[in-house]
Amino acid sequence: MANLKKGQPITDISVLIAGKAGDGVLFTGDVLAKILKRQGWEVVTCRDFPSNIRGEATSTVVRASLDRIYSWGDCIDVLLAFDCQAVFKNVQTIARGGVVFCDGEGIGAMPDPLKKGKTFHRFLLRQLAKEKFGQEVYKNMIALGALSYVLDLDTQIIQEIISEMFLKKKGQEIVDKNTQALMLGWAKAGEMIADSECHALDRTTDQGRIVLSGDEAIALGALAAGCRFFAAYPICPASEIWQWLAVYLPHFNGAVVQTEDELAAMNMAIGAAYAGARAMTSTSGPGASLMMEAFSLAGMAEVPVVVAHVQRVGPATGTPTKTEQSDITQWIYGSHGDFPRIVLAPGTVEECFEFTVKAFNLAERYQCPVILMTELDMGQNLRTAREFHFDKISIDRGRLLSQEELLGMDNFKRYEFAADGISPRALPGMKNGLHMVEGNEHNEKGYRDEDPEIRRRMMDKRMKKLQAASKNLIASRVWGDRKAKVGILGTGSTLGAIVEAQGQLARKGIPTKFLQLRTLWPFPVKETEAFLNSCRQVFVVENNFSGQLSRLVKSQVEGCPRFKNILKYSSLPFKPTDISRRIRRAPR
Amino acid sequence: MRNKEDYHLEDPAWCRGCGLFGVFDALKRAAAAQDLDPEQTVVVTGIGCHGRLNNCFRAYGFHGLHGRVLPVATGVKLNNPGLLVVGVSGDGDAYSIGLGHFIHAVRRNVGIVYLVVDNRIYGLTQGQFSPTTEMGFVSISSPYGSKEFPIDGPRLALAAGGTFIARGFSGNVAHLAGLFEKAVKHRGFALIEALSPCVTHNKINTYEWFRKNIYLLEDDSGYHPGDKMEAWTRLQDSRRIPIGLIYQEQKPPFEELVLPDVHKPIAREGLGVDVPRLEKIMEKFR
């Protein structure tokens, strides 16, 4: 939310770029995010786009702040619309003092409420682009130029970014044309708006930071962790993980396969992991439903496989391009039979990277499937992050035997009844390691065995691994005032809105603390109990209808206090005020 | 040189007279003739009576889920292409629940030997009709006769661009073993469908029935497995079932196309963290 009191420097700003699918709205937003980041600002984007290639309404919010932010904020300061529909749709969220540019051909005066403290400018971007450059596509760069004028962005940075984007791929001529379009937009905006409408942003240094999506962070984490095989089926909003890896894996002696369906994706990743590769797949709700069958196989056969699940709106096909947290329990309770599984839930881009590295180590160490749960909001939106430290990564392959160790063994048993449940592992092709990997209940050598006693012991052996794992998982994190009596529970990408809501509440004299659950399974019972016991009132914030996280906690923690659920299932991510208002108004 | 018994782990527990005994025998014979290293061989099986093959055939074994043999086998092959990967399925596994995977594995021409043991019935689940069961067949799930037209695996494989399509008969072990030897040498996806009587649940497609209805392509000196139209014609003939190598052609195997280096197995990569390279990649996010 911009503080547009005259004379005060701006510390927070939100820009909404809106149009129709195919207008290049997301592209323009992503470039703006990069410019702001290089100008030293923290950035979060929030895409709102349809499951459609051309024609339907699309928008993206680019929010920037001098403070650390993780959410898309509460209101809009600058709106740049490629059509008027977007203006009417978003009029309520435009803050006092806001500036609106609209390429609305054939529309009369804007309604009165819009004018209150807001200024409206008709900016015929398309027409201008066609006139000056012969192509409508240049409207995006003209738009960026206009925004740069309003926000007083560093044109040097923008020109650098234009060169990076176009020089190698399209040549100097295109770079020049884009630069001209940018300057044209700048000049036109200068003619249109008064100095008082400018939202000039400070320039600070940009050091040790990157800007990327959660999907990209997961992909980079996988690459760094030694993932060399990736099998997946196209699905929104997870495909970016694999598309990114498809570019890089071949350079690291790795491979990507686009499978015929998610049944194949999961089974192929299992085959790869069994062979000895660090293997992964990614998906969203419907794909995860198909993967459930093989998920169980990975648990039974003790194959270390990693799955990234980027949640979208369900059920059924739901709304594939919108965010939700309605698959939280899918991998915790899903599939047939009892078997060990680990579910991690990153809440920041940095965590997407770190938890992915950790996921591969946990999968091999405990020889079980490991799931990374994120959401579209985390997966596809850009956020600034502290740069990643690859030198701190260590690779832990658990009890994977070397050929020398295996040769020194008399009687290798793949499913040995080890004290901690973690048996030695050999790979096909190794000498002296012949064994079976079985989806049927089996004995220590891996051969099918239906003896009840063996079954009982084998079940104990597999499930015991979770006890060992629970000491080595990612602990929950407490944000805010540790002495506060008002507690908030949440997981994943709701973190951004929760943390900002905490700030808003603190300013109103309501201190809060927020428990960010970062490992969802095995459930961190002790940490959660201690947290809940120290609160007088607990709010559970989640992006779904039924309060899945709330129910999960209740099922795991004894004497759970009454929760107040703060739910949002409109397909949009939480705004900080969605949360702070509810907590403020709740009786205490 | 290894002999047949080197591949015999234990006696199988199939019904007396089951066609799978012939399949098992043919596998062992071919393995011995090729002197296959059990430690360099992975047998991936599906669910059905054939799935017990892992318990008796000496090699690395993976017994997964019903219908999912080929994705698992593909995962193994791509990550360690030096291994001989043999997939084994039944007709239900390959042509019903796993049909999608079958077509796509054929299309990709991934270097797997795929043995489909076709008994035209669901044996392990006590005798329901399968996708290869003839119309009208009375079974526990079709008490008034099956109302479905059967499909034919080799025909599907030919239509999907298969590069090695063969059919054998578990009653002719030497011939089936010969097909398996050829399949091992083939570059790409090799399908062998083994017609294999279920002596308990299929009283129609017996050894005798198969013997009456099959003929050896090798006996026909005019038949060349490189002729796709002729292969199609033979497969279309509903009166007589051709046995032998039906069709073969050369196409690059999937692993050679998709892997940066087939001689550097992904599965054996050291997982060192290449910090400077990763840092360079991260620069794109600045």
Side-chain angles (χ1 to χ4, degrees), chain A residues 10-17 28-45 60-66 69 77-78 144 147-148 150-155 157-158 161 199-207 209-211 382-384, chain B residues 285-286:
Chain A
I10 295 168
T11 57
D12 196 306
I13 188 136
S14 289
V15 178
L16 176 70
I17 301 165
T28 311
D30 288 355
V31 177
L32 180 62
K34 200 156 206 168
I35 299 165
L36 288 163
K37 180 252 165 198
R38 288 205 193 166
Q39 202 162 313
W41 289 60
E42 295 285 315
V43 180
V44 173
T45 70
T60 186
V61 172
V62 181
R63 182 181 172 219
S65 174
L66 289 173
I69 49 164
D77 302 301
V78 180
L144 264 177
L147 291 173
S148 306
V150 176
L151 305 175
D152 190 25
L153 300 182
D154 188 337
T155 47
I157 292 175
I158 309 174
I161 291 173
H199 295 48
L201 304 184
D202 279 348
R203 295 167 196 182
T204 64
T205 52
D206 170 31
Q207 266 183 346
R209 299 183 317 146
I210 49 181
V211 58
L382 301 181
R383 286 171 169 87
T384 35
Chain B
F285 300 121
R286 294 280 177 192

Side-chain angles (χ1 to χ4, degrees), chain A residues 34 37-38 211 248 251 253 260 268 272 275 277 293 387 428-430 432-433 435 437-439 448, chain B residues 9 39-40 52 54 60-63 68 71 79 101 104 108 264 266-269 277 282 284-286:
Chain A
K34 200 156 206 168
K37 180 252 165 198
R38 288 205 193 166
V211 58
Y248 290 102
H251 302 296
N253 194 39
E260 55 273 25
M268 209 177 280
E293 180 193 44
E387 65 186 6
M430 280 184 162
N432 201 33
H435 67 275
V437 164
E438 253 295 4
R448 194 179 67 92
Chain B
L9 207 57
E39 292 181 323
Q40 292 293 317
R52 302 287 151 82
N54 285 121
Y60 277 96
F62 190 107
H63 187 217
R68 317 291 169 228
N79 286 277
H101 308 310
H104 290 281
R108 290 187 188 111
K264 260 178 82 184
I266 293 174
R268 295 302 161 81
E269 276 284 289
R277 247 175 115 193
M282 187 172 63
K284 294 205 164 31
F285 300 121
R286 294 280 177 192

